Amino acid sequence: MTAPAPRMRWWGWGEDGHDAPLSPAQLALLEGELGALPPRRDPVALDDARLPDATLPDAARAALAAVVGAEHVRDDRLARVTHAAGRGYHDLVRLRAGDASGAPDAVVYPASAEEIAALLGVCAQHGVAVVPFGGGTSVVGGVEAWRGRCASAVSLDLARLDRLLAVDRETLSATVQAGVTGPALEAALGEQELTLGHFPQSFEFSTVGGWVATRSSGQASTGYGRIDALVLALRVVTPSGEIATRALPASAAGPSLRELLVGSEGALGVIVEVTLRVRPGPAARRYEAFSLPRFAAGVQAFRTLAQTGAAPDVARLSDEPETRVSLALSGGERLATRVLRGYLRTRGHADGCLVIAGWEGRSDTQLRARRTKTARVLREAGALALGSPVGAAWEHGRFAAPYLRDELLAHGVLVETLETATTWSRLLELHAAVRDAVDGALRARGTPPVVMCHVSHVYRAGASLYYTLVSRQEAGAELEQWHAAKAAASEAILAHGGTISHHHGVGRDHGPWLGDEVGPLGIELLRAAKATLDPAGIMSPGKLLDPAPLPGAGG
Ligand SMILES: Cc1cc2nc3c(=O)[nH]c(=O)nc-3n(C[C@H](O)[C@H](O)[C@H](O)COP(=O)(O)OP(=O)(O)OC[C@H]3O[C@@H](n4cnc5c(N)ncnc54)[C@H](O)[C@@H]3O)c2cc1C
């Protein structure tokens, strides 16, 4: 068997031919918001991508090949470039311009935990950095092959660990290999009428191992729970040996090793297997939209939903700018959208906030009862029910935004997302602080942005805030421009009681702010864990701890 083919095109999201061209009306809308945009620009050709010279010693390469077979060690241009970066904005800016400087020297494709243990031994012996690679959809610089103190680096691609190993129907759990992608997992569980219910927007390409390594959160996490809540047990191969936590409903056997390893982002070891809590697949689904007059009213209503057990499984509240832009971009010229906007205007909701609510369950009757509870809370907050067509449109397009992002980049638009979470008592303060910080940073560079935000994961104690920023790219200084916005947002998040990440993880990009969140002793504790599990420091240098320099940081 040869090494698996790359799942995504090397410079963007998805496969070739799956494009989302902007209509002239959408382009006009963008130019109205951001100012004139430059002519459309395509990415450079693969042959023009610039790779660092490969430095993997022949002896190390031969030893790696002896473990997995020569056909599973690749150092051709396509393999290296497709493992050079994740899928964050700065990754795509650099890849489109042909900058593949984050490429590993080689890509290794193991097929078992035993092979991974042997590979880590080879890499420790030869001083080769190892970067675990799931779907490569990291947006925080997680998969770039930073070498740290090592002379060379390999990407350890888990695509061949792609099997559902066991299902325990009594416990409602499933044990899977880490390289299984979202669609493959749901298809395998679906055959047994089960679901995990974890649907991040990157679902099509991201993997179980990546979700667990980054503490991912799916679009329906309000109902199903974040991935950390869905992990019953995991098996991790580290350079010092293997740790397999027990599948237990609960345990008081000291601090939780499971918690230490979930979110370890490849810095402590390689997650090879995960036992997940699954549940019967829903027989009924319903997605609906509502409009609320103001974001603040929506936040209060979402708090009530979360604290009274009335929250839907998908609970999403857009602020005013996000509602305005998404209604316009989703086809402002179309009759249905014009009618909807006319209706909102006549009801005093012209500048309102869109709510998407989704319920999934065993029967229509059960769904109707839950919907009634949710709708009552929203109505009391002044909501207008917009019915299921807008909700169905959201469901239909729930994985579409990354394709649109490629198109926006072609048109010279900065489009970045960032996220945080805080308590209900500080949510509105944080919402405004991050918006103002990003707006100020980009305005100062002469590229005023549109900063949009939504609440999408609600808890009894608080909620996440997910921002999308768009502005004109600063030609020739795209990375410096990105860094200015990122630094401003991160400072504001920490100053106003947020977490540096609710679900994207730390990677490299949030590393500079991790110490502010967990404190110096917290960092020392993480360092001690790393020194025990990875004494040679080969696991993902520059991620989580001691971050590598951020793109654009010098400008
Ligand atoms: C368009 C887009 C939308 C997104 N939407 C969401 C969303 O809705 N919710 C969300 O939570 N995230 C989202 N993300 C972020 C990203 O998809 C998640 O972080 C995801 O969990 C990464 O999975 P992956 O398999 O692609 O991991 P990768 O990107 O391959 O790796 C991510 C990190 O985990 C490490 N890693 C990967 N596999 C393993 C393993 N088996 N063992 C140890 N370490 C490992 C890597 O070294 C890296 O540090 C989105 C990203 C994009 C580009």
Side-chain angles (χ1 to χ4, degrees):
M1 181 191 160
T2 53
R7 294 189 182 113
M8 272 194 271
R9 51 187 171 197
W10 67 269
W11 53 266
W13 191 253
E15 291 144 10
D16 277 337
H18 195 148
D19 298 320
L22 288 170
S23 69
Q26 288 172 318
L27 204 50
L29 172 95
L30 273 171
E31 294 203 314
E33 295 278 349
L34 308 179
L37 297 172
R40 193 180 192 293
R41 245 198 4 226
D42 287 324
V44 303
L46 178 61
D47 283 342
D48 294 330
R50 299 175 301 283
L51 284 159
D53 291 338
T55 57
L56 188 66
D58 288 344
R61 194 184 194 290
L64 295 172
V67 175
V68 291
E71 70 279 26
H72 296 126
V73 181
R74 283 184 59 177
D75 50 14
D76 54 281
R77 171 171 283 268
L78 182 61
R80 292 183 67 204
V81 171
T82 48
H83 293 78
R87 286 297 176 271
Y89 169 74
H90 55 65
D91 297 316
L92 301 182
V93 165
R94 285 176 295 157
L95 288 174
R96 293 177 69 95
D99 175 359
S101 53
D105 296 302
V107 184
V108 189
Y109 298 86
S112 67
E114 292 69 28
E115 285 188 2
I116 290 173
L119 289 173
L120 297 189
V122 168
C123 290
Q125 186 193 344
H126 291 271
V128 177
V130 180
V131 185
F133 189 99
T137 66
S138 167
V139 284
V140 292
V143 292
E144 227 171 287
W146 183 254
R147 286 157 179 75
R149 283 182 284 119
C150 299
S152 43
V154 295
S155 184
L156 196 143
D157 190 318
L158 292 143
R160 292 174 69 212
L161 273 78
D162 62 352
R163 281 180 304 126
L164 172 62
L165 298 174
V167 169
D168 177 344
R169 293 198 72 91
E170 234 176 317
T171 304
L172 280 180
S173 70
T175 301
V176 297
Q177 290 186 307
V180 177
T181 61
L185 175 69
E186 282 297 329
L189 291 176
E191 282 176 16
Q192 312 205 29
E193 297 180 344
L194 295 169
T195 184
L196 177 64
H198 187 73
F199 299 101
Q201 195 186 51
S202 57
F203 173 76
E204 292 169 283
F205 300 99
S206 53
T207 62
V208 170
W211 298 341
V212 175
T214 59
R215 290 187 181 272
S216 158
S217 208
Q219 291 170 340
S221 78
T222 295
Y224 287 89
R226 305 157 54 84
I227 198 72
D228 16 353
L230 300 174
V231 175
L232 195 58
L234 76 173
R235 181 178 173 199
V236 179
V237 174
T238 81
S240 298
E242 184 176 311
I243 299 186
T245 66
R246 287 184 179 214
L248 296 168
S251 164
S256 166
L257 289 182
R258 184 177 59 94
E259 283 298 304
L260 176 69
L261 297 167
V262 172
S264 57
E265 302 193 20
L268 302 181
V270 184
I271 299 164
V272 292
E273 277 174 31
V274 186
T275 300
L276 296 159
R277 297 172 210 267
V278 296
R279 60 183 88 189
R285 286 192 174 87
R286 189 176 171 90
Y287 300 96
E288 275 187 40
F290 297 82
S291 170
L292 279 156
R294 283 174 304 109
F295 186 63
V299 168
Q300 290 309 326
F302 269 42
R303 178 172 69 83
T304 307
L305 289 175
Q307 293 178 346
T308 60
D313 299 314
V314 174
R316 189 181 160 112
L317 165 71
S318 295
D319 70 0
E320 291 84 352
E322 184 170 284
T323 302
R324 179 173 60 79
V325 172
S326 54
L327 279 182
L329 267 183
S330 71
E333 76 284 15
R334 285 212 322 260
L335 183 60
T337 313
R338 287 215 314 267
V339 169
L340 176 64
R341 287 162 83 186
Y343 173 67
L344 290 172
R345 232 185 346 264
T346 57
R347 301 296 302 268
H349 280 235
D351 300 316
C353 292
L354 191 65
V355 171
I356 299 293
W359 305 265
E360 303 190 353
R362 302 295 291 152
S363 68
D364 285 328
T365 318
Q366 185 203 30
L367 247 55
R368 265 197 301 276
R370 290 186 61 205
R371 183 207 173 271
T372 303
K373 278 173 84 175
T374 309
R376 188 179 304 131
V377 173
L378 293 176
R379 224 178 15 250
E380 282 168 10
L384 289 177
L386 304 179
S388 49
V390 184
W394 173 83
E395 189 200 4
H396 179 69
R398 67 195 288 186
F399 303 125
Y403 297 95
L404 178 63
R405 183 179 56 162
D406 282 345
E407 191 63 14
L408 292 171
L409 261 82
H411 284 281
V413 176
L414 179 162
V415 49
E416 171 64 319
T417 60
L418 52 95
E419 39 75 58
T420 178
T422 193
T423 52
W424 291 114
S425 51
R426 299 198 74 175
L427 201 81
L428 289 174
E429 169 200 337
L430 182 63
H431 171 252
V434 176
R435 178 198 60 206
D436 293 349
V438 170
D439 185 81
L442 289 176
R443 213 167 270 281
R445 299 181 74 94
T447 54
V450 179
V451 183
M452 301 169 271
C453 183
H454 62 252
V455 171
S456 53
H457 310 273
V458 305
Y459 308 88
R460 289 181 67 81
S464 75
L465 290 171
Y466 185 95
Y467 291 85
T468 305
L469 15 152
V470 291
S471 82
R472 252 180 311 117
Q473 275 184 342
E474 214 176 307
E478 293 88 352
L479 296 175
E480 289 79 1
Q481 179 193 28
W482 168 81
H483 183 265
K486 182 74 183 172
S490 302
E491 300 296 339
I493 283 171
L494 286 162
H496 293 272
T499 171
I500 196 61
S501 176
H502 168 262
H503 60 264
H504 284 163
V506 178
R508 173 203 52 205
D509 296 1
H510 293 147
W513 291 278
L514 182 64
D516 288 344
E517 183 163 335
V518 303
L521 193 56
I523 293 285
E524 281 317 305
L525 192 58
L526 290 175
R527 270 192 217 293
K530 184 164 173 74
T532 301
L533 299 177
D534 176 26
I538 58 167
M539 295 308 305
S540 270
K543 323 285 168 46
L544 197 62
L545 293 163
D546 307 317
L550 266 56

